[in-house]
Amino acid sequence: MMALTERQPQLEKTKALRARAPLSRKAVAALCVASFVAGLLLSGRVPLVPASAADVGGDGGAKQGVRVSGCGGNKRKLGESHPKDLLNEVSRTHQAIQSLDKAVSTLEMELAVERARSGGGGTAVATKPPQKARVVIGINTAFTSRKRRDSLRDTWVPRGEKLRKLETEKGIVVRFVIGHSGAPGGGALDRALDAEEAETRDFLRLDHAEGYHELSSKTRIYFTTAVATWDADFYVKVDDDVHLNLGMLSSRLAKHRTRPRVYVGCMKSGPVLSQKGVKYHEPEYWKFGDEGNKYFRHATGQIYAISKDLAAYISINQPILHRFANEDVSLGAWLIGLEVEHVDDRSMCCATPPDCEWKKRAGNVCVASFDWSCSGVCKSVDRMRHIHKACGEGEGAVWNVAM
């Protein structure tokens, strides 16, 4: 009985505690927040005294921009950050992601190219390590185009020591690109080109039999050979009847250097020509849909540039890249299924004077000039010097380009 009498007050106290009203929602939330903040303070995530408050002292310290999560996922602010600081942080994060994407893409491509160079990819064309460069400019030319080449050497292509200096000091490589004649043992055309090369030393010779209908193959081999020879940011292909300002080209491409997989040129979408016998006839026209359809967007063939990783992609996969009749369409097809940034740069397809001359006077010097009607400069041997005088950037411009 005595034991029961002693336990009765304890039971009554317990019932009284259970009978009390539960804590209100506000009290629970406040308790959660207080517990969370105490945990942050004890774990060192949030300093007891903010750095800004320690500097100014008292109540005038800057507010600390920390958000904490309360019960139920609701968020409360311990302080507020300046909007500009948040925008700057977002911008820096975006730039960091872009740089990381570029770095990863570059490393992947460099690894694949090194495997190819060592023989693992079946595309090894050089045994020496590639030379560092900013831009490699390959001028597509033919055996019968000696006068065209000389017209460029007299205008925008440097000669001799100036060509070497441009390469070593500015990282700009300029070469005339050509293969061989296909004649057994080397014919008269090959011997004439050998003599010209010994004199000028401005050629990139390809293991390729020249022919107008082999331009797509020549383009593949050009990029493969260029990637194996030079480690450049960009690789450019230009025809030998186009006027080019080297300084403007270099400065325009430099704007895209931090971006991965860039394809620069004057983008177009011309008709697919199914009729036999016409210029630019497409034998595989049926692959582009019904009659009257147009090609996908691609850079016009007179001049275009691709970034290092895209050139490496072509080098690695060149044995299985399909060739269409037109070289510029082939390049566009090789890149259309990739994550590529197409840059439509209209300064790379200015018309000849007076168009490019007016733009130069207005302060907008063109990268390249040619006549659409001729798919290049009409009568380029006779007119190249005049175009260079009217539309050229000036002899010293390329040396002042920030690389």
Side-chain angles (χ1 to χ4, degrees):
M1 292 296 293
M2 289 294 292
L4 290 173
T5 307
E6 290 176 357
R7 289 178 183 177
Q8 189 170 359
Q10 294 179 358
L11 292 172
E12 290 176 355
K13 289 181 181 179
T14 304
K15 290 179 180 179
L17 288 172
R18 290 179 179 176
R20 289 180 184 177
L23 292 174
S24 66
R25 292 184 180 179
K26 291 184 178 179
V28 172
L31 182 60
C32 288
V33 172
S35 300
F36 185 79
V37 171
L40 288 177
L41 292 174
L42 292 175
S43 65
R45 295 285 184 91
V46 178
L48 292 174
V49 181
S52 57
D55 293 337
V56 298
D59 297 331
K63 294 181 179 179
Q64 188 171 0
V66 179
R67 289 177 180 266
V68 296
S69 296
C71 298
N74 294 327
K75 294 183 178 179
R76 290 175 178 268
K77 293 183 181 178
L78 291 178
E80 294 183 357
S81 297
H82 197 281
K84 288 185 178 179
D85 294 337
L86 294 176
L87 289 176
N88 290 336
E89 187 65 29
V90 170
S91 178
R92 285 194 295 269
T93 303
H94 181 65
Q95 291 175 0
I97 292 173
Q98 280 189 324
S99 299
L100 182 61
D101 186 24
K102 176 72 172 179
V104 171
S105 175
T106 300
L107 288 173
E108 288 176 346
M109 284 298 179
E110 286 180 352
L111 179 60
V113 171
E114 288 304 321
R115 286 175 178 170
R117 288 188 182 124
S118 63
T123 58
V125 294
T127 56
K128 294 181 180 180
Q131 304 173 31
K132 290 288 185 180
R134 293 292 189 185
V135 183
V136 173
I137 302 168
I139 308 171
N140 185 43
T141 192
F143 285 104
T144 57
S145 299
R146 173 64 191 259
K147 290 184 178 180
R148 283 189 178 183
R149 293 191 289 272
D150 285 340
S151 72
L152 299 190
R153 294 178 181 124
D154 291 339
T155 52
W156 61 267
V157 175
R159 292 176 180 261
E161 281 305 309
K162 287 186 177 180
L163 186 65
R164 309 291 168 247
K165 185 179 178 182
L166 185 67
E167 184 174 332
T168 56
E169 294 187 8
K170 306 303 292 185
I172 301 174
V173 178
V174 184
R175 294 288 188 275
F176 290 101
V177 180
I178 196 168
H180 55 81
S181 67
L189 293 175
D190 297 286
R191 290 192 293 272
L193 194 66
D194 290 341
E196 183 182 349
E197 182 179 13
E199 176 189 349
T200 61
R201 298 174 59 199
D202 56 6
F203 281 92
L204 176 63
R205 303 289 288 271
L206 306 178
D207 184 11
H208 165 75
E210 287 290 320
Y212 179 79
H213 296 292
E214 297 297 327
L215 288 179
S216 293
S217 294
K218 184 176 182 179
T219 300
R220 291 189 313 181
I221 297 171
Y222 159 60
F223 285 121
T224 301
T225 307
V227 166
T229 310
W230 294 280
D231 180 12
D233 294 327
F234 285 94
Y235 298 84
V236 178
K237 176 264 176 183
V238 60
D239 289 338
D240 62 3
D241 55 353
V242 172
H243 180 266
L244 181 63
N245 282 315
L246 294 173
M248 284 301 302
L249 175 66
S250 301
S251 61
R252 302 285 284 201
L253 293 180
K255 297 178 181 178
H256 309 293
R257 188 178 299 154
T258 59
R259 302 176 185 175
R261 301 176 298 278
V262 181
Y263 174 30
V264 188
C266 288
M267 300 296 163
K268 67 174 185 177
S269 179
V272 180
L273 302 178
S274 59
Q275 184 179 355
K276 291 183 178 180
V278 300
K279 192 176 183 181
Y280 306 128
H281 165 63
E282 179 57 72
E284 297 180 274
Y285 62 89
W286 62 273
K287 290 185 177 181
F288 297 92
D290 297 331
E291 188 175 351
N293 278 1
K294 291 186 176 182
Y295 288 113
F296 41 77
R297 288 283 174 185
H298 62 279
T300 187
Q302 286 82 359
I303 178 174
Y304 49 75
I306 58 175
S307 56
K308 174 182 181 176
D309 35 17
L310 295 182
Y313 169 82
I314 294 173
S315 172
I316 296 163
N317 297 285
Q318 61 103 4
I320 60 172
L321 293 177
H322 185 71
R323 296 163 294 164
F324 289 101
N326 300 302
E327 156 254 334
D328 53 349
V329 173
S330 293
L331 179 69
W334 301 337
L335 305 181
I336 194 68
L338 307 179
E339 288 292 339
V340 173
E341 180 181 359
H342 289 61
V343 179
D344 185 17
D345 190 340
R346 309 312 291 183
S347 71
M348 295 177 72
C349 53
C350 295
T352 55
D355 178 63
C356 59
E357 186 175 11
W358 290 341
K359 291 176 179 176
K360 177 183 176 181
R361 290 178 181 177
N364 300 315
V365 178
C366 294
V367 171
S369 303
F370 55 88
D371 299 307
W372 284 103
S373 59
C374 297
S375 298
V377 174
C378 299
K379 300 180 180 179
S380 63
V381 173
D382 299 327
R383 298 178 59 220
M384 192 61 69
R385 190 183 295 272
H386 165 68
I387 295 170
H388 187 65
K389 183 178 179 180
C391 305
E393 62 191 350
E395 187 175 350
V398 68
W399 305 103
N400 297 322
V401 173
M403 301 301 292

